[in-house]
Amino acid sequence: MSELHPARHGNPAFAAAPGGDEDVDSDARQKEGVLIRLKTKEETRATNETGENAPSRFVSLDCYILDLPAKFAHGVYSALRTAFPDDRFDLQHLRRFAKPSFLPLHLRPLSSVPAKRSHSPHETSTPNGAAESEAGQPLPTSQQPPLLHLLVGPVKSIPRTGLTNKLMSLAPFSDGSMAINLRTVSVPALAPTAEEQAQRWSEQYWPTVYKKTNPFGPQPSVWDRAERDILPGAGRWMALAEAAGQAAKHARTGEPFGAVIVDNTPDGQNAVAVAGDARWCGPGAELASGNVAGHAVMRAIGMVALKAKRAKQQGSRNDHAQTPQCGSDSREEGEKEQEVSRTITTSSTIFLDTPLTSLEERYFMLRNVSDSAYLCCGQDIYLSHEPCLMCAMAILHSRFERVVFGTRMPGTGGLCADMVVGDGGADGADMKTVDGDRDRDGDARKAHSPIRGQSHQGLGLGYGLFWLHDLNWKMLAWQWQWQDSARHPDSVTAGSKFHNA
């Protein structure tokens, strides 16, 4: 088993990230990127787009349609709704009534109503159902009854025999003046997520409406408001997360995965915890996957919990400007701080939720967490890589409001709902892993580090844990993509077999 704090190597000074985090903050202000909204599980089911990374997932539903004169349409529909109530299928995105000219082309030849008997003593019916005079000439269009096509409801919820019997009791079918022309068509079962999609479905299936809302995930206005809030500082926090990962790699505590937890206050955003990966420390470090409690997400959340405990023990309030005092006038306060830190460290080192690098220590010592809120409720978390299933659920249970990650992990990630085949991103630079042993010092798994050069062929897990109706908490999630892709070639997709973050 490796040492608990291999970065220290018996030296009281923590391992420092190359260049120090002052350089990280300065460099981050010069970096820009874009936020890519993650699709929810329901959105991936609703999409009808095709492409290399977006296979077709169109979901259809068989429904009855009925042809009838316009003046009877609403009466028939109301009667059928009363006779066959069913709330299992939401069809609000489909037009209930459609004129023949608005139907898809393949439905129009079948849309005319065949007359069972003449509309008048001087009228008969043509093969396509249009009324004609006794001389065999079609009546002028103005004299023909205007027709509508009614979307009755799903075949699954309405028995055809019962539907036919009910229609025979309603005008215009009850007196035998018109035959029942009942057909079955396939319609979109899910609402469209874009105007273009609604137009395409209207041409292919049935007139469809886009209501500028999202029934399968966050509303567009919610996304827009959140992005205006976090985009100005996102580059800084993402650079800090990457720096935490690199510091962990440099200290040989774990893989280059980092996490930053940011609190949103009236005075601005503040980093309350910074953590790098430490899977090669503590219990389980000798296993191929390392110590799962040492993932960066788990450590960062643990640090927030410890800081809240420290705030409670010290009786302190949330103070975003204060740092631990070191001057002679605050000796008593400093001794109290050290005593609290010793107590916390002794009771929790098995979880690796105390600092292992100087970068982590700097933010851990800031007294900017109170003990009044529920752990990380309302806070944001920035990650160098998409979190694994375990870490994604930890983020969910900690009540984060928003999560941003850099590199997608199709083999282990728990946030992305779409199942993406790794294609190496824009420059074909996916990653692979190779097996190997520890180095002879036994405190790092160098040979298991992800390396470039081979495309990942597996499918993503497709859980989409950030927004599921079955869970009691939902949050917004983005993938961050640097505009300077040359400096971040692996910021799109990676194929590492490690459970990331």
Side-chain angles (χ1 to χ4, degrees):
M1 181 182 302
S2 60
E3 294 177 349
L4 188 59
H5 299 292
R8 303 186 188 185
H9 294 293
N11 192 315
F14 293 111
D21 72 307
E22 294 88 348
D23 295 340
V24 172
D25 291 344
S26 175
D27 190 39
R29 286 192 291 268
Q30 302 173 11
K31 296 180 180 180
E32 295 182 353
V34 295
L35 292 166
I36 303 173
R37 301 173 184 178
L38 295 195
K39 288 185 178 181
T40 67
K41 189 74 173 178
E42 292 298 319
E43 284 175 326
T44 60
R45 291 180 54 217
T47 183
N48 191 33
E49 298 176 352
T50 59
E52 187 174 359
N53 289 333
S56 176
R57 291 181 179 87
F58 175 75
V59 180
S60 65
L61 180 68
D62 289 339
C63 288
Y64 296 115
I65 61 172
L66 176 68
D67 306 340
L68 73 171
K71 66 178 182 179
F72 296 103
H74 286 281
V76 171
Y77 175 62
S78 297
L80 294 180
R81 285 284 294 173
T82 302
F84 305 101
D86 190 356
D87 297 328
R88 291 181 300 168
F89 301 97
D90 185 2
L91 302 180
Q92 296 184 44
H93 58 287
L94 301 175
R95 295 194 181 278
R96 281 292 179 175
F97 302 98
K99 295 181 179 180
S101 59
F102 287 95
L103 289 180
L105 292 176
H106 69 279
L107 293 180
R108 292 182 189 178
L110 303 176
S111 62
S112 299
V113 179
K116 188 172 184 179
R117 68 186 188 190
S118 299
H119 294 283
S120 73
H122 303 287
E123 292 178 1
T124 59
S125 175
T126 61
N128 66 357
E132 61 180 22
S133 67
E134 199 172 50
Q137 298 297 323
L139 292 175
T141 303
S142 59
Q143 298 183 24
Q144 296 183 16
L147 297 178
L148 285 180
H149 308 280
L150 168 63
L151 183 70
V152 178
V155 173
K156 292 181 179 180
S157 58
I158 304 176
R160 190 180 185 94
T161 301
L163 176 59
T164 302
N165 292 337
K166 181 62 180 178
L167 289 173
M168 292 179 65
S169 67
L170 303 173
F173 311 108
S174 57
D175 60 359
S177 62
M178 181 172 292
I180 298 174
N181 186 25
L182 194 63
R183 292 174 285 142
T184 301
V185 296
S186 293
V187 300
L190 304 174
T193 57
E195 183 68 39
E196 297 77 10
Q197 192 177 51
Q199 182 177 357
R200 185 168 62 252
W201 287 356
S202 297
E203 296 172 353
Q204 296 177 351
Y205 304 102
W206 184 263
T208 307
V209 179
Y210 173 60
K211 298 186 176 182
K212 297 184 180 180
T213 59
N214 185 3
F216 312 115
Q219 298 301 320
S221 59
V222 175
W223 283 113
D224 294 340
R225 185 167 56 252
E227 288 169 355
R228 287 194 299 268
D229 185 25
I230 68 174
L231 188 57
R236 176 187 180 186
W237 305 128
M238 286 301 300
L240 187 56
E242 291 184 355
Q246 291 300 322
K249 179 181 179 181
H250 175 73
R252 301 198 299 181
T253 62
E255 297 301 313
F257 305 142
V260 175
I261 296 178
V262 176
D263 192 15
N264 301 288
T265 72
D267 299 328
Q269 296 180 328
N270 299 278
V272 296
V274 175
D277 185 63
R279 68 190 63 204
W280 307 134
C281 300
E286 71 281 359
L287 302 176
S289 58
N291 177 13
V292 295
H295 288 197
V297 167
M298 306 299 289
R299 297 188 63 230
I301 294 174
M303 289 180 184
V304 174
L306 285 184
K307 292 178 70 169
K309 182 179 179 181
R310 180 174 63 190
K312 184 175 183 180
Q313 291 178 345
Q314 294 173 338
S316 65
R317 287 293 187 182
N318 194 3
D319 184 356
H320 299 281
Q322 282 188 313
T323 58
Q325 300 296 320
C326 302
S328 58
D329 294 337
S330 59
R331 182 174 303 173
E332 182 179 349
E333 178 67 22
E335 292 175 353
K336 184 178 180 181
E337 178 105 9
Q338 292 175 7
E339 179 62 29
V340 171
S341 296
R342 281 195 295 269
T343 302
I344 293 174
T345 302
T346 303
S347 62
S348 61
T349 48
I350 188 173
F351 299 107
L352 303 178
D353 46 12
T354 53
L356 299 180
T357 68
S358 60
L359 182 59
E360 297 175 359
E361 174 75 1
R362 165 173 292 203
Y363 291 91
F364 182 76
M365 296 306 293
L366 292 174
R367 291 182 291 171
N368 54 4
V369 171
S370 71
D371 62 333
S372 59
Y374 177 87
L375 198 55
C376 302
C377 186
Q379 296 178 347
D380 303 333
I381 185 167
Y382 294 81
L383 309 170
S384 62
H385 294 70
E386 180 185 1
C388 67
L389 288 173
M390 176 190 70
C391 291
M393 287 304 298
I395 292 172
L396 195 76
H397 286 303
S398 299
R399 301 295 191 264
F400 281 95
E401 184 174 354
R402 299 171 293 208
V403 54
V404 183
F405 67 85
T407 302
R408 178 174 291 197
M409 303 292 282
T412 59
L415 290 184
C416 293
D418 47 345
M419 301 178 71
V420 180
V421 178
D423 63 354
D427 58 356
D430 263 343
M431 303 165 73
K432 68 178 181 179
T433 58
V434 294
D435 292 329
D437 298 323
R438 294 177 180 272
D439 67 353
R440 58 185 179 181
D441 293 332
D443 56 10
R445 189 67 61 88
K446 291 181 178 178
H448 271 288
S449 299
I451 61 177
R452 301 269 303 282
Q454 176 174 312
S455 178
H456 179 75
Q457 298 298 325
L459 292 177
L461 300 180
Y463 281 96
L465 293 178
F466 74 98
W467 194 281
L468 289 179
H469 292 298
D470 297 336
L471 300 177
N472 62 357
W473 186 262
K474 299 177 179 64
M475 55 193 174
L476 300 178
W478 296 264
Q479 182 182 9
W480 175 262
Q481 187 169 339
W482 294 102
Q483 288 186 0
D484 187 2
S485 59
R487 298 180 61 180
H488 303 270
D490 299 322
S491 63
V492 179
T493 305
S496 171
K497 71 179 180 181
F498 284 127
H499 295 286
N500 39 297

